[in-house]
Amino acid sequence: MKRPLIGLLLALLATACVHATSLEQVHAGMDRSQVTAMLGPPDTTNNTAGHECAYYTLTKDFWSRVPWDMTDRYYVCFTDGKVDTFGKADRSPTSG
Protein backbone atom coordinates (compact mmCIF):
# COMPACT_ATOMS: atom_id res chain seq x y z
CA MET A 1 0.00 0.00 0.00
CA LYS A 2 2.86 2.41 0.76
CA ARG A 3 4.57 2.07 -2.65
CA PRO A 4 1.55 3.13 -4.76
CA LEU A 5 0.96 6.06 -2.42
CA ILE A 6 4.59 7.18 -2.62
CA GLY A 7 4.53 6.80 -6.41
CA LEU A 8 1.38 8.90 -6.65
CA LEU A 9 2.87 11.60 -4.43
CA LEU A 10 6.06 11.74 -6.51
CA ALA A 11 4.05 11.93 -9.75
CA LEU A 12 2.00 14.83 -8.39
CA LEU A 13 5.10 16.70 -7.26
CA ALA A 14 6.81 16.21 -10.62
CA THR A 15 3.84 17.52 -12.60
CA ALA A 16 3.36 20.54 -10.33
CA CYS A 17 6.90 21.83 -10.88
CA VAL A 18 7.78 24.44 -13.47
CA HIS A 19 11.36 23.89 -14.54
CA ALA A 20 13.91 26.61 -15.18
CA THR A 21 14.19 25.35 -18.77
CA SER A 22 10.74 26.93 -19.30
CA LEU A 23 12.43 30.32 -19.00
CA GLU A 24 14.37 29.53 -22.19
CA GLN A 25 11.08 29.98 -24.07
CA VAL A 26 10.57 33.53 -22.75
CA HIS A 27 11.66 36.25 -25.17
CA ALA A 28 11.43 40.01 -25.50
CA GLY A 29 8.08 41.26 -26.74
CA MET A 30 5.91 38.54 -25.16
CA ASP A 31 2.93 39.78 -23.16
CA ARG A 32 2.03 38.91 -19.56
CA SER A 33 -0.59 36.32 -20.53
CA GLN A 34 1.93 34.38 -22.65
CA VAL A 35 4.46 34.33 -19.81
CA THR A 36 1.80 33.31 -17.27
CA ALA A 37 0.67 30.49 -19.57
CA MET A 38 4.24 29.08 -19.59
CA LEU A 39 5.40 29.80 -16.04
CA GLY A 40 2.17 30.12 -14.09
CA PRO A 41 1.38 33.00 -11.77
CA PRO A 42 4.40 34.80 -10.29
CA ASP A 43 5.37 34.43 -6.64
CA THR A 44 5.61 38.21 -6.27
CA THR A 45 5.58 41.33 -8.42
CA ASN A 46 7.17 44.75 -8.16
CA ASN A 47 5.51 47.69 -9.96
CA THR A 48 6.76 51.15 -10.85
CA ALA A 49 5.28 53.55 -13.40
CA GLY A 50 4.94 51.56 -16.65
CA HIS A 51 7.40 48.87 -15.46
CA GLU A 52 6.55 45.60 -13.69
CA CYS A 53 8.85 42.77 -12.60
CA ALA A 54 7.41 39.34 -11.82
CA TYR A 55 9.43 36.88 -9.74
CA TYR A 56 9.22 33.10 -10.12
CA THR A 57 10.71 30.19 -8.19
CA LEU A 58 11.54 27.51 -10.74
CA THR A 59 12.84 23.99 -10.20
CA LYS A 60 16.39 23.32 -11.36
CA ASP A 61 17.00 20.65 -13.97
CA PHE A 62 17.74 17.19 -12.57
CA TRP A 63 21.54 17.41 -12.93
CA SER A 64 21.78 20.79 -11.17
CA ARG A 65 19.80 19.78 -8.08
CA VAL A 66 21.12 18.97 -4.66
CA PRO A 67 18.80 18.14 -1.74
CA TRP A 68 19.30 21.53 -0.07
CA ASP A 69 19.08 23.59 -3.29
CA MET A 70 16.46 22.46 -5.83
CA THR A 71 15.11 25.81 -7.06
CA ASP A 72 16.32 29.11 -8.48
CA ARG A 73 14.59 32.48 -8.46
CA TYR A 74 14.04 34.31 -11.76
CA TYR A 75 12.58 37.63 -12.82
CA VAL A 76 10.64 38.68 -15.91
CA CYS A 77 10.26 42.45 -16.35
CA PHE A 78 7.59 44.06 -18.50
CA THR A 79 7.46 47.57 -19.92
CA ASP A 80 4.01 48.58 -21.14
CA GLY A 81 2.87 44.96 -20.79
CA LYS A 82 5.65 43.41 -22.92
CA VAL A 83 8.74 41.48 -21.76
CA ASP A 84 11.88 43.59 -21.93
CA THR A 85 14.30 41.79 -19.57
CA PHE A 86 14.45 38.44 -17.79
CA GLY A 87 16.99 36.26 -16.01
CA LYS A 88 18.15 34.94 -12.65
CA ALA A 89 16.98 37.08 -9.75
CA ASP A 90 20.43 37.12 -8.16
CA ARG A 91 21.36 39.45 -11.02
CA SER A 92 19.89 42.94 -11.00
CA PRO A 93 17.20 43.47 -13.67
CA THR A 94 17.86 46.42 -15.95
CA SER A 95 15.68 48.11 -18.51
CA GLY A 96 16.27 47.09 -22.09
Side-chain angles (χ1 to χ4, degrees):
M1 179 67 181
K2 286 185 182 180
R3 284 189 180 186
L5 185 58
I6 291 172
L8 179 61
L9 179 62
L10 290 174
L12 289 173
L13 288 173
T15 58
C17 297
V18 177
H19 293 276
T21 55
S22 300
L23 196 72
E24 294 172 3
Q25 298 173 8
V26 173
H27 56 84
M30 293 177 78
D31 63 31
R32 280 187 196 94
S33 63
Q34 292 172 311
V35 173
T36 301
M38 278 192 299
L39 302 178
D43 298 330
T44 59
T45 58
N46 182 4
N47 296 304
T48 57
H51 192 74
E52 174 188 3
C53 290
Y55 294 88
Y56 296 88
T57 302
L58 304 178
T59 305
K60 292 182 178 184
D61 67 41
F62 180 78
W63 301 109
S64 300
R65 294 180 201 169
V66 290
W68 56 89
D69 189 22
M70 296 185 64
T71 60
D72 279 325
R73 195 149 160 85
Y74 291 88
Y75 66 88
V76 179
C77 292
F78 304 90
T79 298
D80 299 323
K82 302 287 183 184
V83 173
D84 66 350
T85 59
F86 55 94
K88 268 192 156 181
D90 57 353
R91 297 184 197 133
S92 177
T94 57
S95 295

